[in-house]
Amino acid sequence: MSRLIAGAMLFAMAAAPAAAHPKLLASAPAEGAAVAAPGEIRLQFSEKLFSKMSGAKLVRADGKPAGAAEVNFAEDGKSLMLVPAKPLAAGGYTVEWYGVAGDTHRVTGTLHFTVR
Amino acid sequence: MLTDPLAVLLRFALYAVLGLMFGLLAFRKYSPMPTRLVGRQVIIAMAALGLVLSGTGLVELAARMHGLSLADVGMAEVATILSLPGLGTAFGVRIAALLATIAVMAIWPARGRTALMLAGVALVCLAFQGHAGATEGRAGLGHLLATALHLVAAGIWLGALVMFLAMSARGSQIDRGTLAASLKRFHGVGTMVVATLALTGSVAFLMIAGWPLPAAAFQSPWWWLLALKLVVFVAMLGLAAVNRFHLAPGLAAGQVHAVQWIRRSIMLELALGVFILALVAWLGLLAPDPG
């Protein structure tokens, strides 16, 4: 019995903490960066996202249409890639993203960057 | 902080109804008492209520996860939730188990063990809603197992409290001897229940919070609600101990007001238990990190 208890506790202590709401860990371009027109915008999250309920939209800071962009997910489900159909024109951009992971909590956020 | 009151309410109601249904069926297996106290109509009504709550919960979850209002949820969104591995499957299994519980109780009311198992499956499926469903890989399996056992143990405790309250109620046809025998029979079961709750609760806590404890401990409401849950749990343990070591022996020894005291202490213990269910319904939607 005491072995079972010790085993269960060790198992739990060795496991990585779970159940955090998904968070944006990193992005390329980074928040606030000024870059050459990127071929893709990559968002990396802390949790595996459900692709059917997660996504992102690209909008221009000046309100003009940003053009179409395709949303893809990396195989591990933790990275979301936004691929513009055409090279981005110079100016400010905002990525409006949303994501749901296993804890069922829907999170949303924005990422801003400038194309030189 | 309490952004989804409907989600909390539905989770609470599901824990209460499915936990109690399982606990009442379990009580019939380990306790000597006339079965007329919990007729099959009661179980059928609870399973039906569980179905309604599960259906509502499915629509609510689809709305929450898609970022829609309840009115805007359509079949497509519900189908997306049902197609999710783990969470979606558990929803389907739970609904099937509840339908089967109703069928068994309606057609073969004597099949108490089958109904108990089906009610157990429906209850255990609730483990997928919340933190345990979000843990990945082998750790996820361990977390689910711990949460499932936690739910089963809590259900047994809840069912026993409701039964003891019914048996000690004014006008109850149950004689003192049966009540005393039932309380005595619960001693062993109760010890297992408490041990299971303590162990599986500790495992689930470590898996959610991480070990060593994060520097940001107690910086989100999750920690304070969990601490409150622990305090209430300890208070329930205290009441259970008073019952076991003082009130139940008094009843067996024929003390005059023993039934009255037992009724009061069970009532208080049940109120604390219901409060814990409300805390858990809320806790499962919060994250331990302050971000």
Side-chain angles (χ1 to χ4, degrees), chain B residues 108-268:
Chain B
W108 306 286
R111 295 247 169 139
R113 188 163 298 180
T114 310
L116 174 67
M117 277 168 59
L118 289 167
V121 169
L123 176 63
V124 160
C125 281
L126 290 180
F128 285 85
Q129 280 194 56
H131 293 304
T135 315
E136 289 173 31
R138 266 175 64 194
L141 224 58
H143 196 170
L144 279 170
L145 182 68
T147 307
L149 287 172
H150 204 77
L151 285 165
V152 164
I156 289 175
W157 196 348
L158 187 63
L161 287 175
V162 169
M163 283 311 303
F164 290 139
L165 193 59
M167 290 167 85
S168 62
R170 270 189 213 98
S172 157
Q173 301 296 311
I174 304 296
D175 60 274
R176 290 171 67 112
T178 309
L179 178 58
S182 266
L183 284 167
K184 195 162 180 227
R185 188 68 69 88
F186 189 66
H187 289 174
V189 176
T191 307
M192 284 294 292
V193 160
V194 169
T196 304
L197 286 175
L199 177 64
T200 55
S202 306
V203 166
F205 164 73
L206 288 171
M207 298 196 78
I208 296 170
W211 186 266
L213 293 186
F218 284 98
Q219 283 177 23
S220 94
W222 183 86
W223 294 86
W224 294 105
L225 289 176
L226 187 72
L228 182 58
K229 182 194 170 192
L230 266 183
V231 170
V232 180
F233 176 70
V234 170
M236 282 183 78
L237 280 186
L239 280 169
V242 168
N243 214 318
R244 172 172 178 169
F245 297 110
H246 184 66
L247 299 178
L251 177 76
Q255 277 178 14
V256 187
H257 296 297
V259 177
Q260 200 177 330
W261 279 108
I262 283 173
R263 183 169 64 237
R264 282 180 189 160
S265 86
I266 297 280
M267 223 184 272
L268 188 55

Side-chain angles (χ1 to χ4, degrees), chain A residues 7-102:
Chain A
M9 298 310 273
L10 279 175
F11 175 79
M13 284 156 89
H21 297 338
K23 264 189 289 199
L24 181 64
L25 293 179
S27 67
E31 169 66 30
V35 294
E40 71 166 26
I41 300 137
R42 194 179 184 94
L43 308 175
Q44 196 196 332
F45 291 90
S46 59
E47 313 290 324
K48 185 177 172 178
L49 300 179
F50 290 133
S51 58
K52 286 176 181 169
M53 284 168 282
S54 307
K57 197 172 80 174
L58 190 61
V59 292
R60 285 188 66 147
D62 58 10
K64 289 180 191 162
E70 193 187 342
V71 177
N72 295 312
F73 289 86
E75 237 171 60
D76 69 356
K78 290 186 177 179
S79 292
L80 182 159
M81 284 84 68
L82 199 56
V83 184
K86 289 179 188 166
L88 297 178
Y93 289 86
T94 301
V95 177
E96 294 171 355
W97 59 262
Y98 56 95
V100 184

Side-chain angles (χ1 to χ4, degrees), chain B residues 22-188:
Chain B
F22 175 77
L24 292 178
L25 285 165
F27 193 86
R28 305 210 297 194
K29 289 283 147 213
Y30 64 76
S31 191
M33 56 143 252
T35 46
R36 67 170 184 278
L37 260 183
V38 186
R40 62 173 168 158
Q41 294 86 350
V42 175
I43 301 297
I44 290 174
M46 293 185 85
L49 182 57
L51 275 175
V52 172
L53 289 168
S54 295
T56 315
L58 186 56
V59 174
E60 189 279 331
L61 188 65
R64 186 151 44 91
M65 288 175 78
H66 283 90
L68 299 170
S69 71
L70 282 177
D72 291 333
V73 173
M75 285 311 289
E77 285 79 19
V78 170
T80 300
I81 302 296
L82 287 174
S83 73
L84 295 176
L87 183 69
T89 314
F91 248 110
V93 172
R94 192 205 311 163
I95 288 169
L98 288 170
L99 285 170
T101 307
I102 293 176
V104 167
M105 290 313 276
I107 303 166
W108 306 286
R111 295 247 169 139
R113 188 163 298 180
T114 310
L116 174 67
M117 277 168 59
L118 289 167
V121 169
L123 176 63
V124 160
C125 281
L126 290 180
F128 285 85
Q129 280 194 56
H131 293 304
T135 315
E136 289 173 31
R138 266 175 64 194
L141 224 58
H143 196 170
L144 279 170
L145 182 68
T147 307
L149 287 172
H150 204 77
L151 285 165
V152 164
I156 289 175
W157 196 348
L158 187 63
L161 287 175
V162 169
M163 283 311 303
F164 290 139
L165 193 59
M167 290 167 85
S168 62
R170 270 189 213 98
S172 157
Q173 301 296 311
I174 304 296
D175 60 274
R176 290 171 67 112
T178 309
L179 178 58
S182 266
L183 284 167
K184 195 162 180 227
R185 188 68 69 88
F186 189 66
H187 289 174

